[in-house]
Amino acid sequence: MSKYDVAVIGSGPGGYVAAIRCAQLGMKTAIIEKYSTLGGTCLNVGCIPSKALLDSSHHYDDAIKHFETHGIDIPGEIKVNLKQMIARKQAVVDQTTGGIDFLMKKNNIDVYEGVGAFKDATHITISGKKTIEIEAKNTIIATGSKPSNLPFIKLDKERIITSTEALKLKEIPKHLIVIGGGVIGLELGQVYRRLGAEVTVVEYMDRIIPTMDAGLSKELNKVFKKAKFKMNMSHKVKSVERKGKEVIVKADNKKGEEVEIKGDYCLVSVGRRPYTDGLNAEAAGVKLTDRGQIEVNEHLQTSASNIYAIGDVVKGAMLAHKAEEEGVFVAETIAGQKPHINYNLIPGVVYTWPEVAAVGKTEEELKAEGKDYKVGQFPMRALGRARASMDIDGFVKILADKTTDEILGVHMIGARCADLIAEAVVAMEFRASAEDISRMSHAHPTFTEAIKEAALAATEDRALHI
Ligand code: FAD
Ligand code: NAD
């Protein structure tokens, strides 16, 4: 029987990063993945394929809407080749997952294909083409998550679908009904809207992306409405039914009236649930919470002291970079180091266009905490760079402590905000004040100038270009 210092169950961004860090720290490491490709949700059916389709559909949208204004004439009709778009997406996925195979080899990590199940706290049975057993002094559970569903919806995975199917449709829906106006619903909704589908969003809360700062929800809603999305807030879905090629969604609106929406596809994107099926956690003495997550302490240690858990299967934001941080954290903890994660500074990004990005506290959270804060906001449309590229939607908002000027939260929506947010993370990690940012040179013309201007507005209400 092969023996390891560490076995990692699950090869998503949490698991494969944990395995690399363990190997770097000199531990004999194995990784177990039930699918034939490594990379988990993120690389196979999450972050990477969704961004590939967002990029392709963005090019198409630009071509049909903006090329003419830019002075680019394309003779003939510009058409979508969905088959090619999906094939390119798959090529990006294959290349990226292949990169993880390379990283495992490079770091001398043993890869096992099969479902990992605890026999006890130090033995794991792997059921793949053959069934084998390995011994591990420590185990890191990184089994991730699966799409959630509403109890009354029967997902047929053809027309009533999750994000996994939405990433490989064979035709562009005529009318896509999206249940849940969160990250997945808006990103994939935008892909198919750009490709010509009518898209109706049905959201239970009174705003889209409801966990983000309300100002961001409002601005993104405005942009989506301009792009002719049908946005239905405060709607409680009560049934989803398929009749042949038709899907019928019934919901109660705010006034309690029944609304019926007919489409040809329905994407159910109401969140994801932790995944522990087949893990046999109880055999190792690993407890679950009542929400089905693996219960962990502040060291991400489970109720079995040699077993840790990270990523989507534990509490916290379900984000790839959060899972990665936790992977490194646990590897270093096992190696006897004292790592640290500042969960308040894990940024959240929605890769729609305009992109939405945030770090730190929202205005709603600061109000609930009774914190005295000030706001500096700067619109993208006031930037020369934004006008040059015709990306004028959005703003940057900086929230700073009223007394100390320390930055407490940064919320932005606009072109390239997914990348811009890194400046805010660095600033907040070093506990910068709004004035610190406002006194640093930002290249002109760039979108980053909106951060400097928002910081000026937060410091002394002295933005320069508005
Ligand atoms: P996962 O990536 O889910 O990996 C878990 C792995 O464990 C899987 O491969 C699974 O097969 C394997 N496994 C489970 N049980 C066993 C077992 N018993 N034995 C062996 N293997 C097992 N996050 C972002 O930060 N940015 C984004 O842009 C983004 N986009 C997304 C888009 C979509 C459409 C979706 C669905 C998600 C997106 N996410 C994004 C979320 C991100 O994918 C997850 O937060 C991330 O993948 C979590 O990583 P993880 O390692 O915890 O788990
Ligand atoms: P989400 O939590 O972002 O959004 C779910 C939405 O569905 C919420 O707005 C919620 O109010 C709504 N909802 C819940 N029940 C409903 C109901 N009965 N009727 C109507 N609406 C309902 O979840 P998601 O979009 O499914 O994404 C799942 C996870 O994947 C998220 O945690 C997210 O962090 C992660 N993800 C991240 C990215 C990214 O980082 N860009 C992209 C995709 C997914």
Side-chain angles (χ1 to χ4, degrees):
M1 187 191 313
S2 299
K3 294 185 181 181
Y4 294 93
D5 295 317
V6 182
V8 181
I9 308 181
S11 73
Y16 85 74
V17 167
I20 293 173
R21 189 72 188 116
C22 286
Q24 283 176 343
L25 290 164
M27 294 181 262
K28 186 164 190 269
T29 307
I31 191 162
I32 305 160
E33 170 55 56
K34 70 175 190 172
Y35 291 121
S36 57
T37 54
L38 302 179
T41 305
C42 176
L43 274 62
N44 290 282
V45 289
C47 325
I48 300 302
S50 58
K51 266 79 258 179
L53 290 183
L54 276 159
D55 276 333
S56 296
S57 60
H58 197 167
H59 285 307
Y60 173 67
D61 197 56
D62 264 346
I64 57 170
K65 291 197 185 136
H66 301 137
F67 274 17
E68 206 180 329
T69 317
H70 279 285
I72 305 165
D73 290 334
I74 297 186
E77 196 189 346
I78 303 170
K79 282 197 272 184
V80 178
N81 179 343
L82 186 65
K83 199 173 166 202
Q84 166 58 20
M85 209 176 266
I86 301 280
R88 187 198 80 95
K89 172 222 74 175
Q90 196 51 44
V92 173
V93 167
D94 294 345
Q95 194 186 16
T96 313
T97 56
I100 308 299
D101 291 335
F102 164 79
L103 290 173
M104 295 302 105
K105 282 195 193 92
K106 184 185 160 206
N107 288 284
N108 294 318
I109 296 162
D110 289 348
V111 177
Y112 292 96
E113 185 184 331
V115 176
F118 286 105
K119 189 175 168 201
D120 57 41
T122 49
H123 294 87
I124 300 164
T125 308
I126 304 166
S127 309
K129 283 186 189 121
K130 287 186 289 182
T131 299
I132 57 157
E133 194 178 308
I134 61 168
E135 187 178 316
K137 274 192 222 150
N138 300 282
T139 297
I140 302 173
I141 302 171
T143 49
S145 63
K146 290 279 177 201
S148 294
N149 190 13
L150 301 176
F152 50 85
I153 300 180
K154 189 177 170 298
L155 293 165
D156 64 16
K157 301 197 175 180
E158 283 174 11
R159 290 190 178 263
I160 305 174
I161 57 176
T162 69
S163 53
T164 304
E165 296 75 49
L167 292 167
K168 52 180 184 198
L169 288 184
K170 294 205 165 60
E171 61 177 359
I172 299 165
K174 289 183 188 64
H175 182 185
L176 174 66
I177 304 166
V178 174
I179 302 181
V183 203
I184 291 182
L186 299 181
E187 288 185 359
L188 294 178
Q190 190 169 49
V191 166
Y192 287 105
R193 178 75 199 110
R194 285 169 175 160
L195 301 184
E198 188 184 329
V199 178
T200 299
V201 176
V202 186
E203 165 60 48
Y204 180 75
M205 304 294 279
D206 61 358
R207 60 185 176 98
I208 51 170
I209 43 170
T211 53
M212 298 188 91
D213 191 277
L216 299 177
S217 303
K218 203 171 155 198
E219 180 76 4
L220 190 64
N221 196 50
K222 205 167 83 189
V223 176
F224 269 45
K225 276 186 152 171
K226 212 161 62 185
K228 301 210 162 33
F229 280 77
K230 296 209 172 77
M231 307 298 281
N232 299 287
M233 301 301 111
S234 306
H235 274 56
K236 188 169 182 231
V237 175
K238 46 187 197 183
S239 73
V240 178
E241 212 190 319
R242 176 170 170 189
K243 279 191 186 152
K245 288 187 173 178
E246 193 174 58
V247 180
I248 303 157
V249 174
K250 287 187 184 155
D252 286 337
N253 69 14
K254 210 174 171 177
K255 295 180 199 151
E257 298 157 346
E258 187 178 286
V259 177
E260 189 180 272
I261 306 161
K262 288 182 178 168
D264 55 346
Y265 285 86
C266 175
L267 168 64
V268 181
S269 47
V270 293
R272 292 178 63 84
R273 60 173 178 87
Y275 183 74
T276 54
D277 295 4
L279 188 62
N280 204 23
E282 50 298 342
V286 170
K287 284 192 199 145
L288 304 193
T289 67
D290 49 12
R291 300 179 63 191
Q293 295 158 328
I294 305 255
E295 193 178 282
V296 285
N297 64 15
E298 70 276 22
H299 303 293
L300 299 174
Q301 195 175 29
T302 69
S303 44
S305 61
N306 65 325
I307 301 175
Y308 298 77
I310 59 172
D312 281 10
V313 80
V314 301
K315 64 190 173 191
M318 287 183 163
L319 296 174
H321 44 288
K322 179 258 193 188
E324 290 187 33
E325 292 304 324
E326 291 184 337
V328 170
F329 177 95
V330 164
E332 293 179 352
T333 301
I334 294 172
Q337 298 182 5
K338 302 244 175 307
H340 174 71
I341 297 176
N342 186 347
Y343 283 97
N344 184 43
L345 296 190
I346 290 181
V349 176
V350 188
Y351 295 83
T352 48
W353 199 264
E355 291 177 333
V356 186
V359 64
K361 305 279 186 185
T362 63
E363 279 210 66
E364 293 72 32
E365 285 169 334
L366 293 177
K367 277 184 192 139
E369 284 174 17
K371 190 103 179 161
D372 252 354
Y373 67 95
K374 48 189 183 158
V375 184
Q377 189 162 319
F378 189 83
M380 292 296 189
R381 64 177 59 244
L383 295 175
R385 188 72 190 84
R387 285 192 300 274
S389 66
M390 291 168 64
D391 281 311
I392 54 171
D393 291 316
F395 57 81
V396 173
K397 175 161 90 172
I398 294 186
L399 309 174
D401 187 289
K402 198 152 197 171
T403 317
T404 65
D405 197 36
E406 180 176 350
I407 300 171
L408 303 173
V410 180
H411 307 277
M412 46 175 80
I413 171 165
R416 307 186 196 176
C417 283
D419 296 294
L420 297 190
I421 198 67
E423 176 179 354
V425 177
V426 173
M428 289 178 72
E429 193 63 69
F430 286 92
R431 303 197 61 180
S433 63
E435 186 178 358
D436 287 334
I437 298 264
S438 75
R439 292 192 179 278
M440 289 174 196
S441 175
H442 287 66
H444 174 76
T446 61
F447 288 95
T448 67
E449 288 172 286
I451 302 177
K452 180 185 169 103
E453 292 276 4
L456 279 166
T459 316
E460 285 175 29
D461 197 14
R462 60 177 187 89
L464 294 164
H465 290 89
I466 195 156

